[in-house]
Every structure is written in C-alpha cells, then in structure tokens.
Amino acid sequence: MKRLAILGSTGSIGTQALDVVAAHPDLFEVEVLSAHSNDKLLIEQAKKFSPNAVIVTDEKKYEKVKAALSSLPIKVFSGPHALMEVVQWESVDVVLAAIVGFAGLHSVLAAIDAGKTVALANKETLVVAGELVMSLAQLRKVSIIPVDSEHSAIFQCLTGEHKTAIEKIILTASGGPFLGKKPNFLVNVKASHALQHPNWTMGAKITIDSATLMNKGLEMIEAKWLFGLNNDQIEVVVHRESILHSFVQFCDGSIKAQMGLPDMKLPIQYALGYPQRIQNDFPRFSFKNYSKFHFDAPDYKTFRNLAIAKEAMEKGGNVPCVMNAANELVVDSFLKNKVGFLEMSDVIEKVMEKITFIEHPSLEDYEKSDREARILAAELIKKSQLSVY
Ligand code: NAD
Ligand code: MG
C-alpha cells in the first residue's frame, strides 16, 4: 500500500490521479490532498478519499474548507508553507507534484529533502531549477518518476538500459491546434481557439503552452535535467496522432519508442505504481484505427516559443527561470484577452534580454529572478496595450 500526497488534486492531473487511486484501493491510500482555490471540489474529494490532511493554499478559502470538514477526522491547513510541511510527514510515501507553474517548486524541494519518491507532473519545477532539484535528489537518493507522457515514454524506454548508451532522445509534439498555421492566421487567434487541443484535455496553462509550442520547449529542458543530457542530445519531431510518446536512440543506432493512446491516466498510473505495472481496463490502441503515422519537423519560425526555449536551455543559469516566469505571466494575460497570441513571444524575448544573467543561481536567486521577470513582463504588456488603444 502506497500512501500518497496529491498536490494540485483539483486539476487535470490531480483529478485523473484520483481516478487511478479510486480504481485501486488495494494499492493506494490518500494521505494528503491540496488545491489552491477550488474549495468545492477539494471538499468533495476530501469526503470521498478521507485523507489525513488537506491544504488549501489560498488563505481566503480556509474557513470554508475547515467548516465543511469539521465533523471529519481531517486536518485542514492553509498557505504555501503548509505544503512544504505535510509532504515531509512520515506517513507520506509518494508525492504527486501536480501543481501548475513555479508555485510547485518549493513543495517538490521539500519532498525530495525528506527523501520522498516524487511523481513529477510539474515540469516548470525542472525548467526553473533543474540543476538544484536533481542535485538534491541525488544527494537524498530520491527517485523522480516523470508523469509527463513524453518523459514517461523515455523513462520506460530506458528501463534496463545504461544512461551512457543514449545517443539522443526525440520528443514527440502533437503540434497543438494550430499545426501548419502561419503568423497571418495566428495574429488573430483568441484564447477560446487556443484552448481547443486536438488530442489531450488538460489545464488551461499547459493547453496554451501546447498551442504556442512552449510546452515542447519546457519539455526539452525537463528532459535535459531528468535524464542528464547535453543540449545537442535532445530533438523534437511533430507527430500529430500523439500515439508514439517519444523515442530514445542508442549508441548502436537502435531506437526504442513507447506507444499508447493519448490518455494521461496511463503515465500517471505508471508513475504511481512504479516499478510495478498495474492491470487496467483503459481503452486499448488498435492499428486498425491508424493506417498512417505522420512525422514532421517543427516550424521554429512561426512557433517562436520553441526556439526561445531552446535558446534559454543553451544559455542556462537563471535564463530558463526568467523565461518560465515571463511565459506564466503572458499565458495568464492571453487567457484574459490582454495580450495577442504572437505578442506572447515578443514579451518573453524582451524579458530574457533585460534580466541580469546568473550562471549558478541559488534558490533565492531563482525566487528573485522569477519575481523580477513577472514585473517586467507585466510592464511590457501594459505598454503594448497603451500603444494599441
Ligand atoms: P490545472 O490547472 O488543471 O491544475 C493545477 C492544480 O494546481 C490545481 O489543483 C490548482 O488548485 C493547483 N494550483 C494552482 N495554482 C496554485 C498555487 N499558486 N499554489 C498551489 N496550488 C496551485 O493543471 P494541470 O493541467 O493538471 O497541470 C499540472 C502540472 O502538470 C503542470 O505543471 C503541467 O505542465 C503538468 N502536466 C499536465 C498534463 C495534463 O495533461 N494536464 C500533462 C503533462 C504535464
Ligand atoms: Mg507532455
């Protein structure tokens, strides 16, 4: 029986993880649930799964959650610091990190520091502070099991292989809803268009990142740290069917891939169950439904975020952290129709140019770079709005 802390339980990954848990009550027990502001769903989940503790990080929601659960033996905490404490509890075996964005970093570091196995969905954690996170994991001898489908695929391909035998990895990208489109089309797209992903149903932020290809850029950086790769060992190929979830090419030229229907429950279940494979009744892939698979080079010119992320990965230091912060802010603004689709890349690029470079940042440096990048991005968006109206 594994005792789980599910951070971000009300999100797309969190709710699917709870479906996996509900299907295997003999294997998993929920010890902790956390959410930011969706008090209604958090209360419902707590009543169903009876965790030892729930954390609602938005302090305004604390009284409501506390009152709703007062008759049950469930501890209720609030604020980001509570997250860092509960993940370290003796009674937690595995932490599923499914908070979105930089906000998930500190709880991942706290979990690793306490020696907990981390099932990692929160890719921004490795984008921001990959070096810090992985060196702490090494020090504490902690396993980080990827949940992101591409990284789960690579992780599965590497089972039984030696790290030094990797020649390169090839991350697959669906291409998102605007595959094949050019800037004259993209200039007019709104959040409602960009939220229509062809293959995956996900949270709003990652869905926009998939439309701009920033998601694949973040995943390149995530892969670099997870698998200890050099920048030139990471490639991206567009595979619009999202059936081959990524490839590893070895030093003898042999290539392994992992395949399956695009359903995040699969990599979530794999990460929670690892090293065991768990039987399930999810729909199976059939070749009868797919007469062809397509593979294309990504369009780095139109989808500039992919080129920007590659540049950030190559520059290293605090640059990926700065890029991530600017991206979080522009995506939020795009969702509120405050910035255009193509302008998002302009803002991120300008922020990256302006922030002071730090080659080996500390945690405090990352926090400062994140704050400064957000302020700068907000100013740039404000200015661009003034020049339009
Ligand atoms: P989501 O927006 O659906 O859910 C995010 C969760 O984080 C919610 O429970 C929310 O309450 C919580 N949260 C938000 N802001 C918070 C804050 N400031 N402090 C504490 N908690 C906060 O997001 P998602 O799609 O489930 O994605 C979660 C993470 O997993 C992201 O990093 C994403 O890139 C990654 N991921 C998601 C998918 C997917 O299919 N959804 C696939 C691969 C990777
Ligand atoms: Mg992915």
Side-chain angles (χ1 to χ4, degrees):
M1 187 71 106
K2 285 185 187 171
R3 296 162 302 173
L4 311 177
I6 301 186
L7 310 186
S9 66
T10 55
S12 161
I13 293 290
T15 51
Q16 294 181 83
L18 286 174
D19 289 344
V20 169
V21 169
H24 300 282
D26 51 326
L27 298 177
F28 304 115
E29 196 177 358
V30 179
E31 178 68 10
V32 175
L33 291 174
S34 97
H36 189 56
S37 55
N38 190 345
D39 48 327
K40 200 166 159 253
L41 183 55
L42 183 63
I43 291 164
E44 205 178 287
Q45 292 176 338
K47 287 182 176 165
K48 180 167 176 197
F49 290 94
S50 308
N52 189 359
V54 303
I55 296 123
V56 54
T57 39
D58 181 349
E59 285 162 17
K60 293 192 292 292
K61 301 291 174 86
Y62 172 73
E63 290 303 336
K64 197 168 165 203
V65 177
K66 175 102 182 128
L69 301 177
S70 61
S71 62
L72 298 167
I74 300 174
K75 300 178 189 77
V76 181
F77 302 107
S78 189
H81 283 283
L83 277 178
M84 293 165 66
E85 261 176 51
V86 293
V87 294
Q88 301 201 326
W89 281 357
E90 180 75 43
S91 55
V92 170
D93 299 315
V94 178
V95 176
L96 174 66
I99 289 174
V100 59
F102 184 94
L105 172 65
H106 291 85
S107 46
V108 168
L109 286 171
I112 297 172
D113 203 27
K116 308 295 179 187
T117 299
V118 176
L120 187 71
N122 178 279
K123 63 191 80 183
E124 293 90 348
T125 286
L126 287 179
V127 171
V128 169
E131 199 168 5
L132 205 74
V133 170
M134 294 313 288
S135 57
L136 187 63
Q138 213 168 18
L139 192 72
R140 297 280 181 265
K141 299 188 173 50
V142 158
S143 308
I144 298 187
I145 322 289
V147 169
D148 212 345
S149 57
E150 297 76 3
H151 305 73
S152 175
I154 293 163
F155 188 88
Q156 293 180 54
C157 291
L158 289 176
T159 303
E161 303 283 353
H162 205 274
K163 241 189 190 168
T164 54
I166 307 173
E167 198 162 81
K168 65 177 181 183
I169 61 154
I170 304 157
L171 295 170
T172 51
S174 70
F178 304 135
L179 178 63
K181 300 293 187 205
K182 294 291 167 197
N184 59 352
F185 175 89
L186 295 172
V187 71
N188 293 317
V189 302
K190 295 280 175 266
S192 52
H193 305 147
L195 285 169
Q196 309 295 320
H197 196 282
N199 302 347
W200 303 94
T201 309
M202 310 178 283
K205 193 250 174 190
I206 184 176
T207 307
I208 302 303
D209 283 346
S210 299
T212 64
L213 291 204
M214 177 55 91
N215 184 49
K216 213 47 55 180
L218 299 177
E219 289 182 354
M220 290 175 86
I221 305 173
E222 181 185 14
K224 170 185 168 127
W225 295 114
L226 265 178
F227 305 113
L229 302 169
N230 296 323
N231 300 332
D232 59 4
Q233 287 178 292
I234 305 167
E235 266 181 36
V236 173
V237 68
V238 174
H239 164 51
R240 68 179 84 144
E241 292 85 9
S242 298
I243 296 294
L244 286 114
H245 297 304
S246 280
F247 306 86
V248 180
Q249 181 171 311
F250 294 94
C251 57
D252 58 357
S254 182
I255 296 178
K256 277 193 192 175
Q258 184 263 340
M259 294 172 63
L261 289 173
D263 179 352
M264 281 309 294
K265 281 205 198 89
L266 258 172
I268 292 169
Q269 179 184 285
Y270 182 82
L272 295 182
Y274 183 80
Q276 203 189 328
R277 274 196 193 271
I278 303 167
Q279 200 281 329
N280 63 35
D281 56 4
F282 301 163
R284 278 6 185 191
F285 169 80
S286 167
F287 278 99
K288 283 190 208 134
N289 302 329
Y290 292 85
S291 60
K292 270 186 196 154
F293 286 143
H294 295 84
F295 300 101
D296 297 290
D299 178 354
Y300 284 91
K301 268 198 174 148
T302 304
F303 296 92
R304 279 163 51 213
N305 276 0
L306 185 57
I308 290 173
K310 195 161 183 278
E311 184 193 319
M313 174 172 79
E314 284 160 3
K315 287 192 169 153
N318 63 337
V319 181
C321 166
V322 167
M323 176 197 73
N324 176 72
N327 182 58
E328 286 191 29
L329 201 110
V330 292
V331 168
D332 189 55
S333 303
F334 177 71
L335 285 167
K336 294 172 179 153
N337 291 319
K338 287 185 184 165
V339 69
F341 188 85
L342 295 174
E343 273 176 305
M344 287 195 275
S345 309
D346 298 337
V347 173
I348 298 167
E349 245 175 1
K350 280 192 192 135
V351 173
M352 278 164 66
E353 275 165 24
K354 289 197 171 174
I355 296 266
T356 314
F357 180 65
I358 305 170
E359 196 171 356
H360 296 293
S362 63
L363 182 58
E364 291 70 33
D365 291 328
Y366 285 127
E367 287 163 348
K368 192 161 173 266
S369 297
D370 177 83
R371 272 197 307 274
E372 287 178 359
R374 282 169 202 265
I375 293 170
L376 206 52
E379 280 169 7
L380 288 165
I381 290 171
K382 223 172 178 183
K383 264 191 209 157
S384 81
Q385 282 175 321
L386 290 176
S387 66
V388 173
Y389 301 108

